[in-house]
Amino acid sequence: MDEHEEHTDRIEYDDPRAGLESALYELKRVIVGQDAMLERLLVALLAGGHVLLEGVPGLAKTLTIKTLSDVLGGSFRRVQFTPDLVPSDLVGTRIYRPDTGRFDTELGPVFGNFLLADEINRAPAKVQSALLEVMQERQVTIAGETYPLPKPFLVMATQNPIENEGTYPLPEAQVDRFLFKLLVDYPTVGEEAAVVGRAISPPAMVREKLSTEDLVRYQELSRRVYVDRDVIGYAVALGDATRHPGKYGLHELEGLIEFGASPRGPIGAVQAAQALALLRGRNHVVAEDVADLAADVLRHRLVLTYDALGDGVRADDLLDRVLDRVGGVKAAQTTERIAA
């Protein structure tokens, strides 16, 4: 058995659910206690979105995306964002070669399938703006020439919630470009014991379960998952309730939300629900798919008032009330009708 065979255990999967579950299981062999984050990363990849992770250092964020690239056979890049970073450090630049008398283009570290933007809020505005084109357009422009990024492409950006010194808060326009904002919490005692046990053992050999070509094919299948107009209406109602809570009987929220979710919220919720339905082995979306992802899609799109911030109100607290009011009977009826 050669070296490639030792590290690769990839099978051609006709059933997307089987292939994705195999990749998810392989990820869980290495990453302990972050099951929801791993599922959301696969959903983001299928939906073509990016992920913002908020959590204290040491919660395996770097290991997660490195392992993801190994399992999916893609290339991994990591950029540690610092205040002295400039856009060319990220996207690349033109370099003059004295021996040839020509300018050559040196592409930056964004040219990979999986980009870890570590502590993104430490980068100045120019760098954040350069990353915005990368995330939205999937391309980089250097000296008037455009260079497409490889497919698939996922940005997983991290920010530390407990340290604000020397940081540049992300503008709302850039935060809105992330499909998910995931809150990564400490593991349980049992999970942490497993983490420590693995840390003192030989590292697990990660096997490639899918290829990037498989993932691109699954992305196409995800976009074909059927979404009923009532499910779309449910996602739109969730977004609208964050902008006009009084219309839904949520008068207590009117003084807590300054700006509600943009239309990218419902769009992202439906696209992510299509990917989640595919991951769960269905060719149609049900309302529960939207509800399961609603907090991850919407929490970073809400701008709370000073009163809410002063009282320690979290976006998740408000979204819980929105989901209870907008969901309920309507979500159950929609799911029941589609399933029938």
Side-chain angles (χ1 to χ4, degrees):
M1 181 178 293
D2 60 26
E3 182 180 354
H4 178 74
E5 291 175 333
E6 291 178 354
H7 293 271
T8 303
D9 189 22
R10 184 159 57 85
I11 303 172
E12 294 296 329
Y13 291 100
D14 293 326
D15 178 12
R17 181 180 185 180
L20 293 167
E21 284 188 345
S22 174
L24 195 58
Y25 176 78
E26 188 67 15
L27 287 168
K28 291 178 181 180
R29 289 182 57 246
V30 179
I31 310 298
V32 178
Q34 303 291 357
D35 291 0
M37 178 178 71
L38 297 178
E39 181 184 64
R40 298 305 191 264
L41 283 176
L42 281 180
V43 168
L45 272 170
L46 292 173
H50 306 290
V51 180
L52 177 63
L53 265 71
E54 186 171 281
V56 300
L59 296 180
K61 297 184 288 292
T62 302
L63 178 61
T64 295
I65 196 164
K66 175 65 172 66
T67 305
L68 185 68
S69 69
D70 292 338
V71 171
L72 300 179
S75 54
F76 168 72
R77 303 287 186 268
R78 179 179 182 269
V79 179
Q80 181 67 48
F81 280 60
T82 56
D84 61 346
L85 208 66
V86 296
S88 60
D89 295 329
L90 188 67
V91 301
T93 188
R94 300 263 290 172
I95 297 178
Y96 179 69
R97 304 290 187 189
D99 54 338
T100 62
R102 296 184 309 177
F103 283 91
D104 291 339
T105 300
E106 292 284 344
L107 299 180
V110 297
F111 284 86
N113 297 113
F114 305 97
L115 173 65
L116 175 62
D118 216 353
E119 294 193 279
I120 187 175
N121 54 333
R122 292 196 177 279
K126 284 186 177 181
V127 176
Q128 294 180 7
S129 177
L131 185 61
L132 192 62
E133 182 192 13
V134 172
M135 293 169 56
Q136 185 68 20
E137 307 298 335
R138 302 300 208 277
Q139 64 183 28
V140 166
T141 303
I142 302 174
E145 288 202 33
T146 300
Y147 301 87
L149 272 71
K151 295 180 180 181
F153 177 67
L154 169 73
V155 173
M156 190 177 88
T158 71
Q159 58 182 11
N160 184 347
I162 62 175
E163 188 177 1
N164 295 317
E165 185 177 350
T167 62
Y168 301 81
L170 297 179
E172 299 302 326
Q174 181 154 347
V175 172
D176 201 37
R177 306 285 175 148
F178 287 97
L179 176 62
F180 293 143
K181 179 182 179 181
L182 305 181
L183 306 180
V184 186
D185 204 354
Y186 291 107
T188 65
V189 173
E191 291 167 346
E192 190 167 359
V195 170
V196 174
R198 292 188 184 186
I200 61 175
S201 303
M205 184 176 294
V206 180
R207 294 168 294 186
E208 181 184 328
K209 289 294 184 178
L210 294 174
S211 67
T212 53
E213 291 79 11
D214 291 329
L215 198 57
V216 170
R217 182 164 56 90
Y218 292 164
Q219 286 177 333
E220 291 293 331
L221 292 174
S222 173
R223 284 188 279 269
R224 298 178 197 167
V225 172
Y226 175 73
V227 187
D228 186 85
R229 66 179 181 273
D230 284 347
V231 174
I232 294 176
Y234 174 55
V236 171
L238 290 175
D240 188 53
T242 66
R243 302 172 212 136
H244 309 103
K247 285 171 53 178
Y248 299 84
L250 296 165
H251 300 285
E252 70 276 13
L253 305 189
E254 289 182 325
L256 301 177
I257 302 176
E258 186 75 30
F259 296 100
S262 75
R264 283 199 185 99
I267 291 171
V270 171
Q271 291 175 335
Q274 288 178 295
L276 185 61
L278 186 72
L279 184 61
R280 292 174 172 175
R282 278 184 277 104
N283 61 1
H284 64 275
V285 175
V286 296
E288 277 81 0
D289 296 327
V290 175
D292 288 348
L293 299 169
D296 298 321
V297 173
L298 297 176
R299 65 165 59 96
H300 54 299
R301 306 181 197 274
L302 302 187
V303 178
L304 306 188
T305 64
Y306 285 111
D307 289 341
L309 296 173
D311 292 339
V313 176
R314 303 177 309 148
D316 283 32
D317 299 329
L318 307 182
L319 289 172
D320 285 343
R321 298 188 208 176
V322 168
L323 283 165
D324 287 342
R325 181 58 59 91
V326 178
V329 175
K330 181 177 179 181
Q333 289 176 342
T334 303
T335 299
E336 186 176 304
R337 186 179 69 79
I338 294 173

